Amino acid sequence: MNILEANQIQKSYGNKFNKQEVLRGVSLSIEKGEFVSIMGASGSGKTTLLNVLSSIDKVSNGTIKIEGSEITGMREKQLAQFRKNNLGFIFQDYNLLDTLTVKENILLPLSITKTPRKEAESRFTRIANELGIYEIKDKYPNEISGGQKQRTSAARAFIHEPSIIFADEPTGALDSKSASDLLNKLSSLNETLAATILMVTHDPLAASYCSRVIFIKDGQIYTQLNKGEQDRQHFFQDIMKTQGILSGVQYEH
């Protein structure tokens, strides 16, 4: 079952006299429970693609369906409601509220949807334990590490059980150990909750945690890699090779 379907997505900026085409007819689908990465060089269109797929930005042409609902035709109020109920977001810069505790930040999406307190507490306990941040639930963002902030951000994205979670360079501001911790947790949640995750990253190591990698070049899909039955180390090597070909660099073992 496809959670997300994008058909001939185009995105351009400017006017007819000075138009910049960023996405040039991208079509893709994401199945329920997939953990997919989008990779590409700076300026390739990968972040723009994530933005239009996640409704942060609007397409110039084409259609996007999430859970069978075409979001490209929604009005802003309808889109805001859909986003609140169906989408989760993890950003590179955490986007936590400094005046709220870790627990309060995580529970924010449930307070907006008026989830019963008992259910909210149950969901919080489960997700905070899964991400290893239950013990810091009463601390404020300025009292915790970057890795803990990003895991708090991830918990907030998962707490309302969205149809799909969009992650924009989630490891970009983290050291290697914190990045590895986060990716292991995301991979685990992808498996245990059958959560669907679409992640933009420039890091082949981060992409190797995914089940599929989509490579973007000049606003179009260049190629895709499926992990299949191979282990993460071999998948990482395949990603490195493809990234090298994409950038014109010869890859060597």
Side-chain angles (χ1 to χ4, degrees):
M1 174 188 167
N2 288 334
I3 289 288
L4 184 150
E5 295 177 354
N7 185 40
Q8 291 298 307
I9 296 300
Q10 296 178 354
K11 179 65 181 177
S12 58
Y13 296 97
N15 52 45
K16 62 181 179 180
F17 302 108
N18 183 25
K19 187 159 77 170
Q20 179 188 5
E21 288 187 282
V22 182
L23 299 176
R24 307 164 184 259
V26 174
S27 296
L28 60 86
S29 60
I30 308 293
E31 289 188 10
K32 179 175 175 57
E34 269 199 295
F35 188 178
V36 180
S37 161
I38 299 173
M39 296 191 75
S42 179
S44 62
K46 63 183 185 296
T47 299
T48 300
L49 179 58
L50 187 80
N51 287 344
V52 296
L53 293 177
S54 64
S55 79
I56 291 174
D57 201 356
K58 291 185 178 294
V59 299
S60 301
N61 285 295
T63 59
I64 299 167
K65 289 183 180 180
I66 297 177
E67 288 273 44
S69 298
E70 188 181 326
I71 65 169
T72 37
M74 290 183 182
R75 295 179 180 275
E76 194 54 48
K77 189 174 181 181
Q78 185 185 8
L79 190 57
Q81 186 68 28
F82 182 85
R83 198 183 287 133
K84 179 174 71 176
N85 293 328
N86 296 279
L87 309 183
F89 297 90
I90 307 173
F91 300 101
Q92 181 176 334
D93 56 359
Y94 320 128
N95 279 20
L96 300 177
L97 296 176
D98 293 334
T99 55
L100 299 182
T101 64
V102 164
K103 182 177 181 179
E104 289 166 343
N105 266 288
I106 293 170
L107 287 173
L108 200 56
L110 297 188
S111 66
I112 294 170
T113 56
K114 298 179 181 176
T115 302
R117 184 172 179 177
K118 188 175 181 180
E119 184 182 344
E121 286 288 340
S122 174
R123 287 199 204 175
F124 167 76
T125 300
R126 180 183 180 186
I127 203 73
N129 277 319
E130 287 268 8
L131 284 160
I133 50 175
Y134 185 82
E135 301 302 322
I136 59 165
K137 65 183 188 297
D138 297 321
K139 291 185 179 291
Y140 288 88
N142 65 352
E143 299 174 320
I144 61 178
S145 69
Q148 290 170 328
K149 287 178 185 177
Q150 195 57 296
R151 278 181 278 149
T152 300
S153 177
R156 182 184 57 192
F158 279 94
I159 192 82
H160 63 297
E161 299 173 353
S163 302
I164 185 168
I165 290 169
F166 296 96
D168 187 8
E169 298 280 10
T171 61
L174 304 179
D175 60 56
S176 58
K177 183 184 182 304
S178 296
S180 179
D181 286 346
L182 176 70
L183 290 162
N184 276 312
K185 298 294 186 185
L186 291 180
S187 183
S188 175
L189 288 169
N190 166 245
E191 291 178 14
T192 59
L193 302 180
T196 309
I197 306 170
L198 182 59
M199 174 177 74
V200 159
T201 183
H202 67 279
D203 182 4
L205 187 61
S208 71
Y209 283 81
C210 299
S211 54
R212 178 160 59 110
V213 182
I214 300 170
F215 292 87
I216 302 291
K217 183 178 182 180
D218 299 330
Q220 296 178 307
I221 292 180
Y222 174 78
T223 192
Q224 302 185 45
L225 290 178
N226 288 288
K227 186 177 183 181
E229 298 299 317
Q230 63 184 323
D231 60 32
R232 195 165 60 78
Q233 184 177 0
H234 286 95
F235 192 40
F236 169 73
Q237 291 173 351
D238 285 349
I239 294 167
M240 288 287 289
K241 288 178 186 176
T242 305
Q243 193 177 44
I245 294 167
L246 198 62
S247 59
V249 176
Q250 186 66 40
Y251 176 83
E252 294 180 1
H253 284 289

